[in-house]
Amino acid sequence: MTNDRVFNFSAGPSVMPESVLERAAREMMNYNGSGMSVMEMSHRSKIYQGIFDETKVKLKAALSVPDTHEILFLQGGATLQFAQIPMNLICGKAADYAVTGNFAGKAAREAEKYGTVNVIYDSTSTGHDRIPAQSELKFSENPEYFYYCANNTVYGTEWQYTPHAPCPVVCDMSSDILSRSVDVSKYGMIYAGAQKNMAPAGLTVVIINKSLAGRELAYTPEIMSYKTMIEKDSMLNTPPCWCIYMLGLMLDWLEANGGVEGMAELRKERSAIVYDVLDNSSLFIPHAQRASRSEMNVTFRTLSAELDAEFVKGAASRGLVNLKGHKLTGGLRASLYNAMPIEGAIKLAEYMKEFEVSHV
Amino acid sequence: MTNDRVFNFSAGPSVMPESVLERAAREMMNYNGSGMSVMEMSHRSKIYQGIFDETKVKLKAALSVPDTHEILFLQGGATLQFAQIPMNLICGKAADYAVTGNFAGKAAREAEKYGTVNVIYDSTSTGHDRIPAQSELKFSENPEYFYYCANNTVYGTEWQYTPHAPCPVVCDMSSDILSRSVDVSKYGMIYAGAQKNMAPAGLTVVIINKSLAGRELAYTPEIMSYKTMIEKDSMLNTPPCWCIYMLGLMLDWLEANGGVEGMAELRKERSAIVYDVLDNSSLFIPHAQRASRSEMNVTFRTLSAELDAEFVKGAASRGLVNLKGHKLTGGLRASLYNAMPIEGAIKLAEYMKEFEVSHV
């Protein structure tokens, strides 16, 4: 990390690798001899089509996406998917949702506009501090799909397994995609807002089993039909070209750093550094139950909101920024996405220990 | 234009000012002492909120948006608006559409999912070569709104007036917004995909009279409700942060170059240089009727597709790129958006004249 840059623990949009940003700056005025910026390129031009196609190929390779599944580059974030998923998949019938956090809850409420929503697991009563075991998932009679959110940024919990279901599994992987290997074939659909581990905000990646497409409700906007977007290779209209280009740069960086396996090692190492401080602290209180802990977002607090605020302020003065918890929970949160250097976790741990010494 | 850059006549995404790109590159690693790129900023951070707010203020000033209207920064492009507009405004009843080109036609077809669409003007039979006079617009009994597209990129025609209607006027201004002054108070809603005169692809600007919001159909996705987005100041979820930042840079450039009045002079000057060649040519045939000509997109052709292709190829070898016409029309098209230097129009005119001399 160069001297004038901070360690950015934001939950998203979030830190990107310096080398990726440097490359984007370098290619800004003239991409690869084209005489123009990627931001100026017609999405129908040969040169941009090349960027688009290569990015798809790289993502397919990084996540080992099988040929049964199609990768789509969409817009609107997870929030549009909350509606788009039931519009396309619920067929006016029912779907099962596991509500393990804020965004899964929003998804379930939005889906009620389009069919029957069965919330088959809800951790609200314990402050979303845990992930259910497979045995706790009691599916309904004939769900069209089962929906869950792999990693809960607000509460700092993460599914450690891919749930089995008697129907296609749909997963919001916004905040831990590309951080570990997943067996994509086990999913009907995976989607992710790009602004944590993939690219700047404004791109939504959907990976869908093609056999699920084509059952959308009659009033589904054309651009929200997965079938149409599969047929048009995400180019029914102008895609978010710059974000897709940035995803390509991120995937080059990912590959150079060991791919998703490399990222899985790094996330374990980074989060262990911070959890280790929490587990040996008499000041800091971790939020998530141990077995449900996220390796992407570490949530904790001190005994008072005043002390939390002092911690955030002191951290910022050392270049450790965005450690304030989500407004729903208060407290503190350290988001440790793919691009967070180990050094950032070490500096944070050091500061936590110093803060504890001077405040107990 | 520096030596290694081309003149980019793409219909969109399209040319941006060099100084804007240079500034974006310069601010890439560390925006304004924040220690991070704008792409890494939490949309809820004070620094990003500042960028967002300032951009809105600048756009409000540039277009003299009255306080009756709200500016929204959305995603999904015009194509999502084709559905979002009727979902919010048609109330299951009827709306009037003027189909003067490809995208207005798409908008009308999409709206049929949500109510009754009266196509009250259609220039299909003459290859969309003209814009109707006010007197040709025969409105239906009780339309909820009247929809038109101000500038038709594919056919090179442009409305030279704001139509009067017995209902709110909704206008797709994607390809000529910020190129001339408009009286926003005359519109119920103006919207524009950003990728021509405003910012990179991935941002849709909506300017809506607040009194029109809140009548959306029951199944409208939350993120597609104008009312919700007005209440949330476009931040129900993560907005396309980078594109909004780039819009801010573009608006600084716009102001430094005379604002929309300055742009209006430039567009007249640029397009006159090219139309003048067309009007004195025995080789090139302009597509649009004279009174309906667009100052943003000049559409023309030679007598054969082979010669058109030769023209495009020869132009590219001189650094004049993306002059091929839309696939629906064939032929040739020069898009002359705000950021196209006068020099680009001059070089194009010179080449056209040379090409004519060597081919008649």
Side-chain angles (χ1 to χ4, degrees):
Chain A
M1 194 67 57
T2 51
N3 276 340
D4 62 345
R5 300 236 324 149
V6 293
F7 289 105
N8 177 11
F9 296 93
S10 168
S14 48
V15 57
M16 300 181 81
E18 269 191 66
S19 65
V20 165
L21 295 170
E22 280 162 357
R23 187 171 159 199
R26 208 162 53 235
E27 295 180 347
M28 180 69 79
M29 304 306 296
N30 186 346
Y31 173 82
N32 203 15
S34 65
M36 61 179 82
S37 170
V38 173
M39 285 189 272
E40 302 176 288
M41 288 180 186
S42 166
H43 59 300
R44 307 283 182 203
S45 64
K46 211 174 280 183
I47 189 155
Y48 186 75
Q49 188 71 53
I51 293 172
F52 183 97
D53 292 343
E54 279 168 33
T55 303
K56 245 180 95 170
V57 166
K58 288 177 205 167
L59 184 58
K60 188 174 163 78
L63 286 172
S64 306
V65 178
D67 290 338
T68 44
H69 287 60
E70 181 66 45
I71 295 172
L72 301 177
F73 294 140
L74 308 181
Q75 296 183 60
T79 306
L80 190 59
Q81 291 306 312
F82 296 165
Q84 191 162 350
I85 290 163
M87 272 186 172
N88 279 269
L89 305 181
I90 209 166
C91 305
K93 298 184 215 165
D96 289 357
Y97 279 68
V99 175
T100 54
N102 181 46
F103 291 102
K106 288 187 185 215
R109 281 192 298 280
E110 183 77 343
E112 286 173 359
K113 291 178 185 161
Y114 312 101
T116 303
V117 171
N118 305 307
V119 175
I120 63 161
Y121 179 81
D122 190 336
S123 52
T124 304
S125 64
T126 61
H128 295 307
D129 65 347
R130 69 185 297 272
I131 297 297
Q134 174 74 52
S135 59
E136 294 176 86
L137 301 174
K138 309 293 183 199
F139 295 97
S140 68
E141 196 71 18
N142 258 315
E144 294 298 311
Y145 60 87
F146 166 61
Y147 180 103
Y148 78 107
C149 177
N151 182 75
N152 302 291
T153 47
V154 175
Y155 300 94
T157 59
E158 189 174 17
W159 292 64
Q160 309 301 342
Y161 66 100
T162 298
H164 280 284
C167 57
V169 175
V170 175
C171 180
D172 175 359
M173 230 174 253
S174 293
S175 53
D176 67 355
I177 195 165
L178 290 174
S179 75
R180 57 181 175 181
S181 63
V182 289
D183 183 349
V184 174
S185 73
K186 290 184 176 170
Y187 292 87
M189 181 179 141
I190 290 168
Y191 78 93
Q195 65 269 22
K196 286 102 159 49
N197 277 334
M198 291 203 290
L203 170 65
T204 317
V205 171
V206 165
I207 304 170
I208 185 171
N209 187 317
K210 286 175 270 191
S211 68
L212 293 180
R215 302 180 302 150
E216 63 269 23
L217 300 170
Y219 52 71
T220 304
E222 186 183 18
I223 190 180
M224 288 174 69
S225 154
Y226 295 131
K227 178 165 182 277
T228 299
M229 284 309 235
I230 291 169
E231 286 166 2
K232 296 286 188 182
D233 197 13
S234 303
M235 289 240 205
L236 172 69
N237 63 335
T238 316
C241 300
W242 173 259
C243 294
I244 294 167
Y245 157 73
M246 288 300 300
L247 172 58
L249 302 196
M250 288 287 282
L251 289 165
D252 288 345
W253 173 86
L254 188 93
E255 200 200 345
N257 286 274
V260 291
E261 290 80 11
M263 293 300 119
E265 282 172 38
L266 283 171
R267 60 175 250 165
K268 190 175 287 297
E269 187 181 346
R270 262 189 315 251
S271 60
I273 291 166
V274 182
Y275 281 122
D276 189 56
V277 178
L278 289 183
D279 289 337
N280 290 288
S281 169
S282 53
L283 177 68
F284 296 109
I285 306 153
H287 176 73
Q289 291 188 20
R290 194 175 289 250
S292 301
R293 282 177 172 173
S294 166
E295 291 179 355
M296 294 279 108
N297 313 91
V298 180
T299 50
F300 56 108
R301 63 177 68 242
T302 66
L303 285 172
S304 80
E306 292 69 33
L307 213 54
D308 288 345
E310 192 186 329
F311 179 85
V312 169
K313 203 175 157 190
S317 72
R318 295 172 174 224
L320 308 170
V321 306
N322 289 323
L323 284 160
K324 198 175 163 186
H326 190 276
K327 63 185 174 190
L328 283 176
T329 58
L332 303 161
R333 173 172 57 178
S335 296
L336 306 169
Y337 295 122
N338 281 357
M340 172 59 68
I342 294 287
E343 193 193 346
I346 293 172
K347 295 260 192 222
L348 173 60
E350 285 170 0
Y351 172 62
M352 289 170 73
K353 285 187 262 188
E354 280 181 46
F355 189 86
E356 174 153 356
V357 167
S358 57
H359 288 83
V360 285
Chain B
M1 196 64 60
T2 51
N3 276 340
D4 63 344
R5 301 236 322 147
V6 293
F7 288 104
N8 177 11
F9 296 92
S10 168
S14 49
V15 57
M16 300 181 82
E18 269 189 66
S19 64
V20 165
L21 295 170
E22 280 162 357
R23 189 171 158 198
R26 208 162 54 234
E27 295 179 347
M28 179 69 78
M29 304 306 295
N30 186 347
Y31 173 82
N32 203 17
S34 65
M36 61 179 83
S37 170
V38 173
M39 285 189 272
E40 302 176 288
M41 288 180 186
S42 166
H43 59 299
R44 307 284 182 200
S45 64
K46 211 174 282 183
I47 189 155
Y48 186 75
Q49 188 70 53
I51 293 171
F52 183 96
D53 293 343
E54 279 168 33
T55 303
K56 245 180 97 169
V57 166
K58 287 176 205 168
L59 184 57
K60 188 174 162 78
L63 286 172
S64 306
V65 177
D67 290 338
T68 45
H69 287 59
E70 181 65 45
I71 295 172
L72 300 177
F73 293 141
L74 308 180
Q75 297 183 59
T79 306
L80 190 59
Q81 291 306 310
F82 296 164
Q84 189 163 351
I85 289 163
M87 272 186 172
N88 279 268
L89 305 181
I90 208 166
C91 305
K93 298 184 216 165
D96 289 357
Y97 279 68
V99 175
T100 54
N102 181 44
F103 290 102
K106 286 186 187 216
R109 281 193 298 280
E110 183 78 342
E112 286 173 0
K113 291 178 185 161
Y114 311 102
T116 303
V117 171
N118 305 306
V119 174
I120 63 162
Y121 180 82
D122 190 335
S123 52
T124 304
S125 64
T126 61
H128 296 306
D129 66 347
R130 69 184 295 272
I131 298 296
Q134 174 75 50
S135 59
E136 294 176 85
L137 301 174
K138 309 293 184 197
F139 296 97
S140 69
E141 195 73 17
N142 258 316
E144 294 298 310
Y145 60 88
F146 167 61
Y147 180 103
Y148 79 107
C149 177
N151 183 75
N152 302 291
T153 47
V154 175
Y155 300 94
T157 60
E158 189 175 17
W159 292 63
Q160 309 300 342
Y161 67 100
T162 298
H164 280 285
C167 58
V169 175
V170 174
C171 179
D172 175 358
M173 231 173 252
S174 293
S175 52
D176 67 356
I177 195 165
L178 290 173
S179 74
R180 57 181 176 181
S181 63
V182 289
D183 182 349
V184 175
S185 72
K186 290 184 176 170
Y187 293 87
M189 182 179 139
I190 291 168
Y191 78 93
Q195 64 269 22
K196 285 101 160 48
N197 276 336
M198 291 204 288
L203 169 65
T204 317
V205 171
V206 165
I207 303 171
I208 185 171
N209 188 317
K210 286 175 272 192
S211 69
L212 292 180
R215 302 181 300 150
E216 63 270 23
L217 301 171
Y219 53 71
T220 304
E222 186 183 20
I223 191 179
M224 289 174 70
S225 154
Y226 294 133
K227 178 163 181 280
T228 299
M229 285 309 235
I230 291 169
E231 287 166 1
K232 297 286 187 183
D233 197 13
S234 304
M235 289 242 204
L236 172 69
N237 63 336
T238 316
C241 300
W242 174 258
C243 294
I244 294 167
Y245 157 73
M246 288 299 301
L247 172 57
L249 302 196
M250 288 287 282
L251 289 165
D252 287 345
W253 172 86
L254 188 92
E255 200 200 347
N257 286 274
V260 291
E261 291 79 12
M263 293 301 119
E265 283 172 38
L266 283 172
R267 60 175 249 166
K268 190 174 287 298
E269 188 180 346
R270 261 189 314 252
S271 60
I273 291 166
V274 182
Y275 281 123
D276 188 57
V277 178
L278 289 184
D279 289 337
N280 291 288
S281 168
S282 54
L283 177 69
F284 296 110
I285 307 152
H287 177 73
Q289 292 188 20
R290 192 175 289 249
S292 301
R293 280 177 174 173
S294 167
E295 291 180 354
M296 295 279 108
N297 313 91
V298 180
T299 50
F300 56 108
R301 63 176 69 244
T302 67
L303 286 172
S304 80
E306 292 68 34
L307 213 54
D308 289 344
E310 191 185 329
F311 179 86
V312 169
K313 203 175 158 190
S317 72
R318 295 173 174 224
L320 310 170
V321 306
N322 289 323
L323 284 160
K324 197 173 162 187
H326 190 276
K327 64 185 171 189
L328 283 175
T329 58
L332 303 161
R333 172 172 58 176
S335 296
L336 306 168
Y337 295 121
N338 281 358
M340 172 59 68
I342 294 287
E343 193 193 347
I346 293 172
K347 295 260 192 225
L348 173 60
E350 285 170 0
Y351 172 62
M352 288 170 74
K353 286 186 263 188
E354 280 181 47
F355 189 86
E356 174 152 357
V357 167
S358 58
H359 287 83
V360 285

